[in-house]
Amino acid sequence: MNETSIEQTENETSRLDEPTKVTQLPRRMFLKLGAVGAAAVAVGTTSSLIVPELRRKGLLSANGVFDASSQALAALVYTEVFPTSPLILNPFSDPFVKPKAASPVPYSMWSNDWKYKPGPGIGQQNSYGDTGDPTDNNTHQRWKGYDTDPDIPLVYQIKAEVDTHSFTTSLVLPIDKNGRPTKSFDASGKVYPAGTKRKLPDSTIYGFNGGGDHATFPGPMINAEYGRPVIVRFENHLDENVQQLDVQDFGAPDRSLLIHLHNGHTAPESDGNPHWSMTKGPHHHGFRTKDWVDQLYLNWPAGSDDLEKQSFFWFHDHRMDHTGSNVYKGMVGLYPIYDPKEDLSVGPGGLDMGDENQGYRLPGVRTNNLDGSFDVEYDVPFALADFRLDDGVTMHQDIHDTQGEFPGPNGLDTPRTHPEWWGKTFYKHFPSHGFVGDIFTVNGVAYPVMEVKRRKYRFRFLDASVSRIYELKLMSSSTPPKAARDLGFTGDDLQGQYRLPNGQQCMQFLQIATDGGLIPTPFLRDSFELWPAKRREFIVDFSKYQDGTTPDLWDEIYLTNVMKMPTGRMWTNSSRSIPDPAYKVPMVKFVITGDADDNSLVPTKLRDLPFVRQDWQTLMNQRSIFEVERGALGGEIEWLINGDQFNPFEVATSLRNPARKTPLAQQKMGSNNLWEIRNGGGGWVHPFHLHMEEHRTMMRNGKIQPPADSGHPDDISKEDLVALDPGESTIIYRQFRDFVGPYVAHCHNLAHEDHAMMFGWEIIP
Amino acid sequence: MDTTFTRLDGAQRRLSVYWLTIAFFAVVIAFGDGFWVTSVQGAVGAIERNDPPFDRWLRDSTLMLPLFFLAVLAAIVLGRRWFGGSRSRLLKFGATALLMVLFTSALAITEVAASSAYDYRLQSRDLASVHAFHQTIADTAPGATTTTGRCVGICAEKQLTLHSHMKALRIASVVLLLSNIVLVLWVMALRSDRIWRSNQVPARAPSEAAVGRGVTGAVLS
């Protein structure tokens, strides 16, 4: 009997059927049509609601759908609760802090008084000295760069110390995630009722002290010059804590540190990377308390090629597994580098020596100090960092609670909440997405005000945040900033605390440099993205608005962040994806206070790019391939490269390349190669940083550059960090010159780096 | 081949079911549940199983298909046996749908549990090697009190990993139940007229009774 006849029989006789045939078919048809219709509606809804979201996150693929689902589940499994920082009631009242140049240690002092003098001898590079084991590498690999180098470098002494830092002098109003006033606490256990305005307690920092009274955040700024080597003696005094400060539950638990000059052309022993420190030198994650290390920065361009010169470094902690917490805790310093070399085809005097009357005539008025340092007026660094302050009731759920690393007062249990830390910095070591704060600071101050003259300035931007990416615009507004909570925002929309509801772009940035230094042709930008660890330099002309009019005295202009990034995964809104016209967070207020002479010029041509071998495409088949992706291993190992966690004792292996080989990440000194860096998906962005020399992005997503990808206009320059959108792939050209030894490459979302998204590579003789 | 088809046809008649309907149910539920199993693995699984999720979903769901087929078959057969005599159509279909949801969800939850157990085993093994260079428990912070006697270090991480899996399993169980309700009702709406074969009551009754007693062979002969 075939199916039809069975059905007929069934329809006639089955007890399952309805009594009359008249209604039977229509109802079944109705059910079927309903089911098909429901499926169609589900597909349609999915297409209209979910597909755009998946596309935006780079998850619109067969694997991407699973990744998106896994992410959603992971968010439910791993509880991630963050406090809402108290509202700063008087923003834009604290003055902007421009760090002054640090002073070097007088030669007479270190050469006479220091027990362990800096020098090129065996075992002179760090406190471990001559161990008799040549592989320990406690000696400077190279003492001189240029033939013209002075034999004696400038010596700086920087002590890492436990100290305090204040983000604001303003009163604050404790608020909850809905923006409503809430209770607060103090160190003695006293509870303050909701609505009580409070003064913020100072936060505890692990900061750098460059010779002053105390450590600061950010730490000292070393104004360096090419051709003038610098030794920085980093000393670890984090065990001293003379003020008996509560160091809270983040920062390397053993208080070791490892300092990386990002991205100086330095030998491995001075580079501060864990592939070196675990295999040589301290044979540990970093330098322990009471240790010191002399990091020699030759201020020497790669391959002695002037075109490789850079312009803005920063130094920060790189201690394995705790870089994020150590940086967040304050171990950040600035290192602009100038170029005094003359090129008469450009003009008389040093090309870029902080003097607007010489060379490229970039904004800057230089003052040479008696101690050998110099300061440059109108040349201003902006170190951006976001923080969260403890509300006293949010759980400190963290995998490190299980390690016994931060015991509570009774020495046994790690307390889950810390009312005694109310108002101090809050950190979560293991957020699934990364860590973003809700208070935005510049040079350690929340919402500062900077007085400017009607003239050109050189602004050097650095993103020193753990995970946050910014997109910055210059805006003016007919009304002052308003607290986000007063505009009805709640939850993640409170991040940044303030909004500029009527903000309109009023000026443009003239970009003159990226991570890799001055670019060949400056170009105007309405806004720019700043990813973690990236640097961007601009000329901002406060003598005229973009419509050509002249600002009046006391006009106010705001540096405004327009990129909404509620988690460390990626932005939800930005100019190049889905703009949110309501998200305009003012970070710095500029006030026009007068006029000043301005001898600087608007440059049309700066430094050419270094040579790339013409036949670089012949290297394509032999390229090394590294894919960054998300993994899982109960917490510590969350992020992988080529499917592996970071192993500091090994050099990584490439994925199989088109030549069907899996080469080691090992390059001969003097060689060059193509490396492919892929974002393995999952809807995350990754700022991927490669130590040592700058690279050039030759291809992005299969397209040869230039022209640069519209989302990454900085691809036209040399850089030390590849900005990878979800699912993107880049092919970069790298050179390996001047030094041998172990280096690393890693994601600079520090939550990713600390959870194994890093690999070791090396240069061999 | 003919013999095989004949046997299948015979079994179909004995069980009074439509293979096609059962297969339809099994495919939809196996691949639907497979999506969640794969997602859970992606959320809390071990890095050794970090292969492309789409491939993993196809492979695992296909491998699980026979078990889902049996689960659906069991639900339909038992549904007919237990509720077939009811005059209430809602009870018949509803109870059968419920059985199907329960059986297939139990199977999927078992699959998640087995997958998590395997992941946990891999992760526990890896934790030791990870600890060799990622942890600093030996480097006690200056001034910190010793924490002897407590579950710290690898022990604590294993515990944490296990808790993650347990939590994921709880969440997955709810998600699987809900999604199976939707899938079963959807397929039922499409195939409600093809769930049970016609029942020539007088002729089929012994057969049903035989199946119910598990003496299929006797009836066949």
Side-chain angles (χ1 to χ4, degrees), chain A residues 3 6-7 9-10 15-16 18 27-28 32 35 63 66 69-70 76-77 79 253 284-285 319-321 402-403 412 630 632-633 636 645-646, chain B residues 35 39 42-43 45 47 53-54 57 89 92 123 130 133-137 139 141 150 152 156-157 160-161 167 186 190 193-194 196-197 199-200:
Chain A
E3 208 167 79
I6 291 170
E7 187 187 3
T9 311
E10 182 185 23
R15 289 171 297 173
L16 301 173
E18 291 294 315
R27 195 183 62 237
R28 284 187 173 164
K32 287 184 182 181
N63 287 322
F66 287 92
S69 172
S70 293
L76 294 172
V77 173
T79 310
H284 186 62
H285 305 78
R319 194 269 191 203
M320 188 172 146
D321 295 338
T402 67
Q403 302 299 316
L412 290 174
R630 184 177 168 278
L633 181 58
E636 276 302 315
Q645 55 172 304
F646 173 52
Chain B
F35 177 82
S39 299
I47 55 176
F54 183 75
W57 170 68
R89 186 178 169 82
K92 256 177 314 213
Q123 289 166 329
V130 168
F133 49 81
H134 278 293
Q135 300 298 327
T136 52
I137 190 66
D139 303 306
R150 295 178 60 215
V152 295
E157 288 204 1
L160 203 73
T161 306
K167 193 170 177 185
W186 184 71
L190 283 175
D193 53 348
R194 299 277 202 286
W196 292 284
R197 284 189 153 266
N199 193 353
Q200 305 287 354

Coordinates of all heavy atoms in Angstrom, one line a residue, chain A residues 3 6-7 9-10 15-16 18 27-28 32 35 63 66 69-70 76-77 79 253 284-285 319-321 402-403 412 630 632-633 636 645-646, chain B residues 35 39 42-43 45 47 53-54 57 89 92 123 130 133-137 139 141 150 152 156-157 160-161 167 186 190 193-194 196-197 199-200:
Chain A
E3 N 1.7 5.4 0.2 CA 1.4 6.4 1.3 C 0.0 7.0 1.1 O -0.7 7.3 2.1 CB 2.5 7.4 1.4 CG 2.6 8.0 2.8 CD 3.9 8.8 2.9 OE1 3.9 9.9 2.5 OE2 4.9 8.2 3.5
I6 N -2.7 4.8 2.1 CA -2.7 4.7 3.6 C -3.4 5.9 4.2 O -4.2 5.8 5.0 CB -1.3 4.5 4.1 CG1 -0.8 3.2 3.7 CG2 -1.3 4.7 5.7 CD1 0.7 3.0 4.1
E7 N -3.0 7.1 3.6 CA -3.6 8.3 4.1 C -5.1 8.3 3.9 O -5.9 8.7 4.8 CB -3.0 9.5 3.4 CG -3.4 10.8 4.0 CD -2.9 12.0 3.2 OE1 -2.3 11.8 2.2 OE2 -3.1 13.1 3.6
T9 N -7.1 5.7 3.7 CA -7.6 4.8 4.7 C -7.7 5.5 6.0 O -8.7 5.4 6.7 CB -6.8 3.5 4.7 OG1 -6.6 3.1 3.4 CG2 -7.5 2.5 5.6
E10 N -6.6 6.1 6.4 CA -6.5 6.7 7.7 C -7.6 7.8 7.8 O -8.3 7.9 8.9 CB -5.1 7.4 7.9 CG -4.9 8.0 9.2 CD -3.6 8.7 9.4 OE1 -3.1 9.1 8.4 OE2 -3.2 8.8 10.5
R15 N -9.1 6.9 14.4 CA -9.7 7.6 15.5 C -9.1 8.9 15.8 O -9.5 9.7 16.6 CB -9.5 6.7 16.8 CG -10.4 5.4 16.7 CD -10.0 4.5 17.8 NE -8.6 4.1 17.7 CZ -8.0 3.3 18.6 NH1 -8.6 3.0 19.7 NH2 -6.7 3.0 18.4
L16 N -7.9 9.1 15.1 CA -7.2 10.4 15.4 C -7.9 11.6 14.6 O -7.6 12.7 14.9 CB -5.8 10.3 14.9 CG -4.9 9.2 15.6 CD1 -3.6 9.1 14.9 CD2 -4.8 9.5 17.0
E18 N -10.8 14.1 12.9 CA -12.0 14.8 13.4 C -13.2 14.1 12.8 O -13.1 13.4 11.7 CB -12.0 16.2 12.9 CG -10.9 17.0 13.7 CD -11.2 17.1 15.2 OE1 -12.4 17.4 15.5 OE2 -10.3 16.9 16.0
R27 N -8.0 22.7 8.3 CA -7.3 22.9 9.6 C -5.8 22.4 9.4 O -4.9 23.1 9.8 CB -8.0 22.2 10.7 CG -7.4 22.7 12.1 CD -8.0 22.0 13.3 NE -7.6 20.6 13.3 CZ -8.5 19.6 13.3 NH1 -9.8 19.8 13.3 NH2 -8.1 18.3 13.3
R28 N -5.7 21.3 8.8 CA -4.3 20.8 8.6 C -3.5 21.7 7.7 O -2.4 22.0 7.9 CB -4.4 19.4 8.0 CG -4.7 18.4 9.1 CD -4.6 17.0 8.6 NE -4.8 16.1 9.7 CZ -5.1 14.8 9.5 NH1 -5.2 14.3 8.3 NH2 -5.2 14.1 10.6
K32 N -0.2 23.7 8.6 CA 1.0 23.6 7.7 C 1.4 25.0 7.3 O 2.6 25.4 7.3 CB 0.8 22.7 6.5 CG 0.8 21.2 6.9 CD 0.6 20.4 5.6 CE 0.6 18.9 6.0 NZ 0.4 18.0 4.9
A35 N 2.9 26.8 10.0 CA 4.3 26.4 10.3 C 5.3 27.0 9.3 O 6.3 27.6 9.7 CB 4.4 24.9 10.3
N63 N 30.7 29.9 10.2 CA 31.3 29.8 11.5 C 31.0 30.9 12.4 O 30.9 30.8 13.7 CB 32.8 29.7 11.4 CG 33.3 28.4 10.8 OD1 32.7 27.3 11.2 ND2 34.2 28.4 9.9
F66 N 28.0 30.5 14.7 CA 28.3 29.7 15.9 C 29.1 30.6 16.9 O 28.9 30.5 18.1 CB 29.1 28.5 15.5 CG 28.2 27.4 14.9 CD1 28.1 27.4 13.5 CD2 27.5 26.5 15.6 CE1 27.3 26.4 12.9 CE2 26.7 25.6 15.0 CZ 26.6 25.5 13.6
S69 N 26.8 32.8 18.8 CA 26.0 32.1 19.8 C 26.9 31.7 21.0 O 26.5 31.8 22.2 CB 25.5 30.8 19.1 OG 24.9 30.0 20.1
S70 N 28.2 31.3 20.7 CA 29.1 30.9 21.8 C 29.4 32.1 22.7 O 29.5 32.0 23.9 CB 30.4 30.4 21.2 OG 30.2 29.2 20.6
L76 N 26.8 34.5 29.5 CA 26.0 34.0 30.6 C 26.8 33.2 31.6 O 26.5 33.2 32.8 CB 24.8 33.2 30.1 CG 23.8 33.9 29.2 CD1 22.8 32.9 28.5 CD2 23.0 34.9 30.0
V77 N 27.8 32.5 31.1 CA 28.5 31.6 32.0 C 29.5 32.3 32.9 O 29.6 32.1 34.1 CB 29.3 30.5 31.1 CG1 30.2 29.7 32.0 CG2 28.3 29.6 30.4
T79 N 30.3 35.4 34.6 CA 29.6 36.6 35.1 C 30.6 37.8 35.0 O 31.7 37.7 35.5 CB 29.2 36.4 36.6 OG1 28.5 35.2 36.6 CG2 28.3 37.6 37.0
P253 N 51.0 40.0 41.3 CA 51.0 39.7 42.7 C 52.4 39.6 43.4 O 52.5 39.9 44.6 CB 50.3 38.3 42.8 CG 50.3 37.8 41.4 CD 50.4 39.0 40.5
H284 N 62.3 34.9 34.7 CA 61.1 35.0 35.5 C 60.2 35.9 34.6 O 60.6 36.4 33.6 CB 61.4 35.7 36.8 CG 60.3 35.8 37.7 ND1 59.6 34.7 38.3 CD2 59.6 36.9 38.2 CE1 58.7 35.2 39.0 NE2 58.6 36.5 39.1
H285 N 59.0 36.1 35.1 CA 58.0 36.9 34.3 C 58.4 38.3 34.2 O 57.9 39.1 33.4 CB 56.6 36.9 35.0 CG 56.1 35.5 35.2 ND1 56.6 34.7 36.3 CD2 55.2 34.7 34.6 CE1 56.0 33.5 36.2 NE2 55.1 33.5 35.2
R319 N 55.0 42.9 32.0 CA 55.2 41.7 32.8 C 54.2 40.6 32.3 O 53.0 40.9 32.2 CB 54.9 42.1 34.2 CG 55.4 41.1 35.3 CD 54.3 40.2 35.6 NE 54.6 39.3 36.8 CZ 54.0 38.2 37.0 NH1 53.2 37.7 36.1 NH2 54.4 37.5 38.1
M320 N 54.7 39.4 32.1 CA 53.9 38.4 31.6 C 52.6 38.1 32.5 O 52.8 38.0 33.7 CB 54.7 37.1 31.4 CG 54.0 36.0 30.7 SD 55.2 34.7 30.4 CE 54.1 33.3 30.6
D321 N 51.5 38.0 31.9 CA 50.2 37.7 32.5 C 49.6 38.8 33.3 O 48.5 38.7 33.7 CB 50.3 36.4 33.5 CG 50.6 35.2 32.7 OD1 50.4 35.1 31.5 OD2 51.1 34.2 33.4
T402 N 41.0 32.9 43.1 CA 41.2 31.5 43.5 C 42.7 31.1 43.7 O 43.0 30.0 44.1 CB 40.7 30.5 42.4 OG1 41.5 30.7 41.2 CG2 39.3 30.8 42.0
Q403 N 43.6 32.0 43.4 CA 45.0 31.7 43.5 C 45.6 32.0 44.8 O 46.8 31.7 45.1 CB 45.7 32.6 42.4 CG 45.3 32.4 41.0 CD 45.4 30.9 40.6 OE1 46.5 30.3 40.8 NE2 44.4 30.4 39.9
L412 N 43.1 34.5 54.7 CA 42.6 33.3 54.1 C 41.6 33.6 53.0 O 41.9 33.3 51.8 CB 41.8 32.4 55.2 CG 42.8 31.8 56.2 CD1 41.9 31.1 57.3 CD2 43.7 30.8 55.6
R630 N 39.9 33.2 19.5 CA 39.5 33.0 20.8 C 39.5 31.5 21.1 O 39.0 30.7 20.3 CB 38.1 33.6 21.1 CG 37.6 33.5 22.5 CD 36.3 34.2 22.6 NE 35.7 33.8 23.9 CZ 35.1 32.7 24.2 NH1 34.9 31.8 23.2 NH2 34.6 32.4 25.4
A632 N 39.5 28.7 24.8 CA 38.9 28.6 26.2 C 39.7 27.6 27.0 O 40.0 26.5 26.5 CB 37.5 28.2 26.1
L633 N 40.0 27.9 28.2 CA 40.7 27.0 29.0 C 40.5 27.4 30.5 O 41.4 27.8 31.1 CB 42.2 26.8 28.7 CG 42.9 25.8 29.6 CD1 42.3 24.5 29.5 CD2 44.4 25.8 29.2
E636 N 42.4 31.2 32.3 CA 43.7 31.8 32.0 C 44.0 31.9 30.5 O 44.7 32.8 30.1 CB 44.8 31.2 32.8 CG 45.0 31.7 34.2 CD 45.3 33.2 34.3 OE1 46.1 33.7 33.5 OE2 44.6 33.8 35.1
Q645 N 48.3 28.6 23.0 CA 48.6 29.6 24.0 C 50.0 30.1 23.9 O 50.9 29.4 23.3 CB 48.3 29.0 25.4 CG 49.2 27.8 25.6 CD 49.2 27.3 27.0 OE1 49.5 28.0 27.9 NE2 48.8 26.0 27.2
F646 N 50.3 31.2 24.5 CA 51.7 31.7 24.5 C 52.6 30.8 25.4 O 52.3 30.5 26.5 CB 51.7 33.1 25.1 CG 53.1 33.7 25.3 CD1 54.0 33.7 24.3 CD2 53.5 34.2 26.6 CE1 55.3 34.2 24.5 CE2 54.7 34.7 26.8 CZ 55.6 34.7 25.7
Chain B
F35 N 23.4 22.6 17.1 CA 23.8 24.0 17.1 C 24.2 24.5 18.5 O 25.2 25.1 18.8 CB 22.7 24.9 16.5 CG 23.0 26.3 16.6 CD1 23.8 26.9 15.6 CD2 22.5 27.2 17.6 CE1 24.1 28.3 15.6 CE2 22.8 28.5 17.6 CZ 23.6 29.1 16.6
S39 N 27.7 25.4 20.2 CA 27.9 26.7 20.8 C 28.4 26.6 22.2 O 29.3 27.4 22.6 CB 26.5 27.4 20.8 OG 26.1 27.6 19.5
G42 N 32.0 25.9 22.1 CA 32.7 27.1 21.8 C 32.8 28.1 22.9 O 33.8 28.8 23.0
A43 N 31.9 28.1 23.8 CA 31.9 29.0 25.0 C 32.8 28.5 26.1 O 33.5 29.3 26.6 CB 30.5 29.2 25.5
G45 N 34.6 25.2 25.9 CA 35.3 24.0 25.6 C 36.8 24.2 25.6 O 37.4 25.2 25.9
I47 N 40.8 24.0 24.2 CA 41.4 24.5 23.0 C 41.7 23.5 21.9 O 41.8 23.7 20.8 CB 42.6 25.4 23.3 CG1 43.6 24.6 24.1 CG2 42.2 26.7 24.0 CD1 44.9 25.4 24.3
P53 N 33.7 25.7 13.9 CA 32.4 25.2 14.5 C 31.4 24.6 13.5 O 30.7 23.7 13.8 CB 31.9 26.4 15.3 CG 32.6 27.6 14.7 CD 33.9 27.1 14.2
F54 N 31.4 25.2 12.3 CA 30.4 24.7 11.3 C 30.7 23.3 11.0 O 29.8 22.4 10.9 CB 30.5 25.6 10.1 CG 29.4 25.2 9.1 CD1 28.1 25.5 9.2 CD2 29.8 24.5 7.9 CE1 27.1 25.2 8.3 CE2 28.9 24.1 7.0 CZ 27.5 24.5 7.2
W57 N 29.8 21.1 13.9 CA 28.3 20.9 14.0 C 27.8 19.9 13.0 O 27.1 19.0 13.4 CB 27.7 22.3 13.7 CG 26.2 22.3 13.5 CD1 25.3 22.0 14.5 CD2 25.5 22.6 12.3 NE1 24.0 22.1 13.9 CE2 24.1 22.4 12.6 CE3 25.9 22.9 11.0 CZ2 23.1 22.7 11.7 CZ3 24.9 23.1 10.1 CH2 23.5 23.0 10.4
R89 N -7.8 14.6 21.0 CA -6.7 14.8 20.0 C -5.6 15.6 20.6 O -4.4 15.4 20.4 CB -7.3 15.6 18.8 CG -6.4 15.7 17.6 CD -7.2 16.4 16.5 NE -6.3 16.8 15.5 CZ -5.9 16.0 14.5 NH1 -6.3 14.8 14.5 NH2 -5.0 16.5 13.6
K92 N -3.5 13.4 22.8 CA -2.7 12.5 22.0 C -1.5 13.2 21.4 O -0.3 12.7 21.6 CB -3.5 11.9 20.9 CG -4.0 10.5 21.1 CD -4.9 10.0 20.0 CE -6.0 10.9 19.6 NZ -7.2 10.3 19.2
Q123 N 41.1 19.9 29.6 CA 41.5 21.2 30.2 C 42.3 20.9 31.5 O 43.2 21.6 31.8 CB 40.2 22.0 30.5 CG 39.6 22.6 29.2 CD 38.2 23.2 29.5 OE1 37.5 22.7 30.3 NE2 37.9 24.2 28.7
V130 N 50.1 24.6 31.8 CA 49.9 26.1 31.8 C 50.5 26.7 33.1 O 51.2 27.7 33.1 CB 48.4 26.4 31.8 CG1 48.1 27.9 32.1 CG2 47.8 26.1 30.4
F133 N 54.2 28.0 33.6 CA 54.8 29.3 33.3 C 53.8 30.5 33.3 O 54.2 31.6 33.1 CB 55.6 29.3 32.0 CG 54.8 28.7 30.8 CD1 53.9 29.4 30.1 CD2 55.1 27.4 30.4 CE1 53.2 28.8 29.0 CE2 54.5 26.8 29.4 CZ 53.5 27.5 28.7
H134 N 52.5 30.2 33.6 CA 51.6 31.3 33.6 C 51.2 31.7 35.0 O 50.6 32.7 35.1 CB 50.3 30.9 32.8 CG 50.4 31.1 31.3 ND1 50.6 32.3 30.8 CD2 50.5 30.2 30.3 CE1 50.7 32.2 29.5 NE2 50.7 30.9 29.2
Q135 N 51.5 31.0 36.0 CA 51.1 31.3 37.3 C 52.3 31.7 38.2 O 53.4 31.3 38.0 CB 50.3 30.2 37.9 CG 49.1 29.8 37.2 CD 48.1 30.9 37.1 OE1 48.0 31.7 38.1 NE2 47.4 31.0 36.0
T136 N 52.0 32.4 39.2 CA 53.1 32.8 40.1 C 52.7 32.5 41.6 O 53.1 33.2 42.5 CB 53.3 34.3 40.0 OG1 52.1 35.0 40.2 CG2 53.9 34.7 38.7
I137 N 52.0 31.5 41.8 CA 51.6 31.2 43.1 C 52.8 30.9 44.1 O 52.7 31.3 45.2 CB 50.6 29.9 43.1 CG1 50.0 29.8 44.5 CG2 51.3 28.7 42.7 CD1 49.0 30.9 44.9
D139 N 55.4 32.6 43.9 CA 56.0 33.9 44.2 C 55.0 34.7 45.0 O 54.3 35.5 44.5 CB 56.3 34.6 42.9 CG 57.2 33.8 42.0 OD1 58.3 33.4 42.5 OD2 56.8 33.6 40.9
A141 N 53.1 37.3 47.1 CA 53.3 38.7 47.2 C 53.9 39.1 48.5 O 53.7 38.5 49.5 CB 51.9 39.4 47.1
R150 N 44.3 25.3 51.6 CA 43.1 25.7 50.8 C 43.3 25.2 49.3 O 44.4 24.9 48.9 CB 43.1 27.3 50.7 CG 42.8 27.9 52.1 CD 42.8 29.4 51.9 NE 41.8 29.8 51.0 CZ 41.9 30.9 50.2 NH1 43.0 31.5 50.2 NH2 41.0 31.2 49.3
V152 N 43.9 26.0 46.2 CA 44.4 27.2 45.4 C 45.1 26.6 44.2 O 45.2 25.4 44.0 CB 45.3 28.1 46.2 CG1 44.5 28.8 47.3 CG2 46.5 27.3 46.7
A156 N 42.2 25.1 42.4 CA 41.1 26.1 42.3 C 40.7 26.3 40.8 O 39.6 26.5 40.5 CB 41.6 27.4 42.9
E157 N 41.7 26.2 39.9 CA 41.4 26.4 38.5 C 40.6 25.3 38.0 O 39.7 25.5 37.2 CB 42.7 26.6 37.7 CG 43.3 27.9 38.0 CD 44.2 28.4 36.8 OE1 44.3 27.7 35.8 OE2 44.8 29.4 37.0
L160 N 37.1 25.9 39.2 CA 36.5 27.0 38.5 C 36.1 26.5 37.1 O 35.0 26.8 36.6 CB 37.5 28.1 38.3 CG 36.9 29.5 38.1 CD1 36.3 30.0 39.3 CD2 38.0 30.4 37.6
T161 N 36.9 25.7 36.5 CA 36.6 25.1 35.1 C 35.4 24.3 35.2 O 34.5 24.3 34.4 CB 37.8 24.3 34.6 OG1 39.0 25.1 34.7 CG2 37.6 23.9 33.2
K167 N 27.7 25.3 35.0 CA 26.8 26.4 34.7 C 26.4 26.4 33.2 O 25.2 26.6 32.9 CB 27.5 27.7 35.0 CG 26.6 28.9 35.1 CD 27.3 30.1 35.6 CE 26.4 31.3 35.6 NZ 27.1 32.5 36.1
W186 N 6.8 22.7 15.6 CA 6.9 23.1 14.2 C 6.8 21.9 13.3 O 6.0 21.9 12.3 CB 8.2 23.9 14.0 CG 8.3 24.5 12.6 CD1 7.6 25.5 12.1 CD2 9.2 24.0 11.6 NE1 8.0 25.8 10.8 CE2 8.9 24.9 10.5 CE3 10.1 23.0 11.5 CZ2 9.6 24.7 9.3 CZ3 10.8 22.8 10.3 CH2 10.5 23.7 9.2
L190 N 3.7 20.6 10.6 CA 3.9 20.3 9.2 C 3.5 18.8 8.9 O 3.0 18.5 7.9 CB 5.4 20.5 8.8 CG 5.8 21.9 8.6 CD1 7.3 21.9 8.3 CD2 5.1 22.5 7.4
D193 N -0.4 15.0 10.1 CA -1.2 13.9 9.4 C -0.3 12.7 9.0 O -0.8 11.8 8.3 CB -1.9 14.5 8.2 CG -0.9 15.2 7.2 OD1 0.2 15.4 7.7 OD2 -1.3 15.5 6.1
R194 N 1.0 12.8 9.3 CA 1.9 11.7 8.9 C 2.7 11.2 10.1 O 3.8 10.8 10.0 CB 2.9 12.2 7.9 CG 2.3 12.7 6.6 CD 2.0 11.5 5.7 NE 1.9 11.9 4.3 CZ 0.9 12.6 3.8 NH1 -0.1 13.0 4.6 NH2 0.9 13.0 2.5
W196 N 1.3 8.9 12.8 CA 0.9 7.5 12.9 C 0.3 7.0 11.6 O -0.5 7.7 11.0 CB 0.0 7.3 14.1 CG 0.6 7.6 15.4 CD1 1.4 6.9 16.1 CD2 0.3 8.8 16.2 NE1 1.8 7.5 17.3 CE2 1.1 8.7 17.4 CE3 -0.4 10.0 16.0 CZ2 1.1 9.6 18.3 CZ3 -0.4 10.9 17.0 CH2 0.4 10.8 18.2
R197 N 0.7 5.8 11.3 CA 0.0 5.2 10.2 C -1.4 4.8 10.5 O -1.8 4.7 11.7 CB 0.8 3.9 9.8 CG 2.1 4.3 9.0 CD 2.7 3.1 8.4 NE 3.5 3.5 7.3 CZ 3.0 3.5 6.1 NH1 1.8 3.1 5.8 NH2 3.8 3.9 5.1
N199 N -4.7 3.0 11.4 CA -4.8 1.9 12.4 C -6.1 1.1 12.1 O -7.2 1.5 12.5 CB -4.8 2.5 13.7 CG -4.6 1.5 14.8 OD1 -4.6 0.3 14.6 ND2 -4.5 2.0 16.0
Q200 N -5.9 0.0 11.4 CA -7.1 -0.9 11.1 C -7.3 -1.6 12.5 O -6.7 -2.7 12.7 CB -6.8 -1.9 10.0 CG -6.3 -1.3 8.7 CD -7.5 -0.6 8.0 OE1 -8.6 -0.7 8.4 NE2 -7.2 0.1 6.9

